[in-house]
Amino acid sequence: LAQLYGPLNMLGYLYRSINQSLVDTERLLSLLSEPTEINDRPNAPDLLVDHGEIEFDNVNFSYDGRSTALNGVSFKVPKGSSVALVGESGSGKSTILRLLYRFYDLKDGDGRILIDGQDIRDVTQSSLRKAIGVVPQDPVLFNASISYNIGYGKFGAQPEEIETAAKAAQMHDRITSFPDGYDTKVGERGVRLSGGEKQRVAIARTLLKNPPILLLDEATSALDTSTEKDIQKALQHLVEGRSSLSIAHRLSTIASADLILVLKDGQIVEQGTHSELLARDGVFAAMWADQVSGTEDTASSHKREAVAG
Ligand code: ATP
């Protein structure tokens, strides 16, 4: 039996790895029709992550060879900094995340995407994806215990580590309120978690995975104020010390981003910090004014104060 343990354990690990990437990619994939197959070059080396600095260097991309999804996009995410992508629907935000995750490879002459100076086309996909944590908008949970759902972020995660991650992700108290605590079954056939709770499970899982780079897709749906606060707190733990690229739908959540890139028709039309962009009185300031006048909830009154201030 002991001899079997090693291979079985390995199988379990492989299964988890496959599940992991399925779940990670699910949201990004859900927006794709037919992802093209990406092949590693023969003898491609693994990505060596030093600082986790990301660079898009004059990136052009089209899904169908006719219409342009990205046009001359250049930016850097310096080590440990947070960059937020904003822009109307179809402006290219998700495309940037998909390209970084290598659902598509750039064609020669269409620019480069680098991580710590390495062109991501030149390294193995598995090492690239290992270095990147994804928190999707609407994470899918397995029909398994909540502890499994968090724990497969890291092979062999111990119960204490799972609990620490759940605490940092502001999910521990909710979990202990379930009759079976961490053993509670979640998913379709178990306890149904709200969107905000599922996102916190995904945050806990990613904390365990501990990747140097993060891709975040903020939920579009409005969350109540306390859920919003919990998620923001959880995300603060997660982004701390990592290079992150996030898609922001609610502009109030990115006030503290190191850099905001404003996209329009596949191009970066403005960039700067929140206050710089408001002072500029351009596209971002107009989007902000729109969101502020759009709703009357607490979040928007904060926005109003911020605008006034
Ligand atoms: P949203 O906020 O609605 O998610 P987005 O800013 O993320 O929008 P993208 O999904 O990056 O926008 O889309 C950029 C452009 O690429 C759009 O014109 C879109 O129609 C097009 N596009 C996106 N996915 C595909 C696809 N799988 N096939 C063809 N065109 C696509």
Side-chain angles (χ1 to χ4, degrees), residues 27 31-33 63 69 88-95 98 104 249:
R27 152 77 184 148
L31 297 171
L32 301 174
S33 38
Y63 287 93
E88 58 197 28
S89 179
S91 56
K93 305 179 296 291
S94 317
T95 304
R98 290 180 201 134
Y104 300 94
H249 299 286

Side-chain angles (χ1 to χ4, degrees), residues 32-286:
L32 301 174
S33 38
E34 280 292 304
T36 43
E37 201 174 307
I38 299 299
N39 295 312
D40 287 344
R41 296 193 170 152
N43 305 318
D46 283 345
L47 174 73
L48 295 175
V49 185
D50 188 10
H51 299 300
E53 182 176 284
I54 304 162
E55 180 175 2
F56 274 56
D57 175 22
N58 203 13
V59 169
N60 299 305
F61 184 72
S62 168
Y63 287 93
D64 55 11
R66 289 190 305 272
S67 49
T68 304
L70 293 182
N71 185 0
V73 168
S74 293
F75 65 90
K76 271 190 191 171
V77 183
K79 172 190 176 186
S81 69
S82 56
V83 173
L85 305 169
V86 304
E88 58 197 28
S89 179
S91 56
K93 305 179 296 291
S94 317
T95 304
I96 288 180
L97 300 198
R98 290 180 201 134
L99 288 174
L100 185 61
Y101 209 70
R102 232 183 128 194
F103 281 138
Y104 300 94
D105 268 343
L106 296 177
K107 293 206 188 91
D108 287 340
D110 277 342
R112 298 178 308 162
I113 300 172
L114 309 165
I115 293 180
D116 287 339
Q118 299 146 85
D119 191 320
I120 61 171
R121 286 172 299 189
D122 296 337
V123 298
T124 58
Q125 291 166 74
S126 58
S127 62
L128 174 75
R129 291 177 183 182
K130 217 168 122 190
I132 299 177
V134 180
V135 178
Q137 257 197 43
D138 188 17
V140 167
L141 302 182
F142 299 117
N143 291 307
S145 70
I146 192 138
S147 141
Y148 176 86
N149 271 284
I150 296 174
Y152 77 78
K154 180 184 172 187
F155 173 57
Q158 298 301 306
E160 310 79 63
E161 292 177 276
I162 292 173
E163 198 173 309
T164 305
K167 280 183 180 153
Q170 311 300 307
M171 221 10 225
H172 175 74
D173 291 348
R174 180 78 181 108
I175 296 171
T176 48
S177 77
F178 299 140
D180 294 326
Y182 279 82
D183 293 329
T184 305
K185 274 258 170 75
V186 291
E188 297 286 308
R189 276 174 265 132
V191 172
R192 293 289 195 101
L193 299 182
S194 72
E197 288 164 350
K198 284 197 278 183
Q199 223 180 16
R200 278 177 283 156
V201 169
I203 291 171
R205 178 190 288 166
T206 312
L207 278 164
L208 272 180
K209 183 178 175 183
N210 196 20
I213 293 168
L214 282 177
L215 303 183
L216 309 167
D217 195 355
E218 180 192 72
T220 31
S221 50
L223 300 167
D224 64 68
T225 317
S226 77
T227 309
E228 179 79 53
K229 273 198 190 134
D230 281 346
I231 294 204
Q232 288 311 317
K233 215 165 155 191
L235 285 174
Q236 268 168 22
H237 282 286
L238 188 59
V239 296
E240 184 74 39
R242 302 176 211 269
S243 310
S244 66
L245 248 184
S246 17
I247 296 183
H249 299 286
R250 278 159 297 138
L251 304 184
S252 56
T253 59
I254 49 160
S256 61
D258 295 313
L259 178 69
I260 298 170
L261 304 175
V262 185
L263 287 152
K264 194 168 192 303
D265 300 330
Q267 286 182 295
I268 297 175
V269 290
E270 285 178 9
Q271 55 181 298
T273 61
H274 199 262
S275 50
E276 284 165 3
L277 289 174
L278 286 184
R280 197 184 150 129
D281 210 10
V283 180
F284 182 82

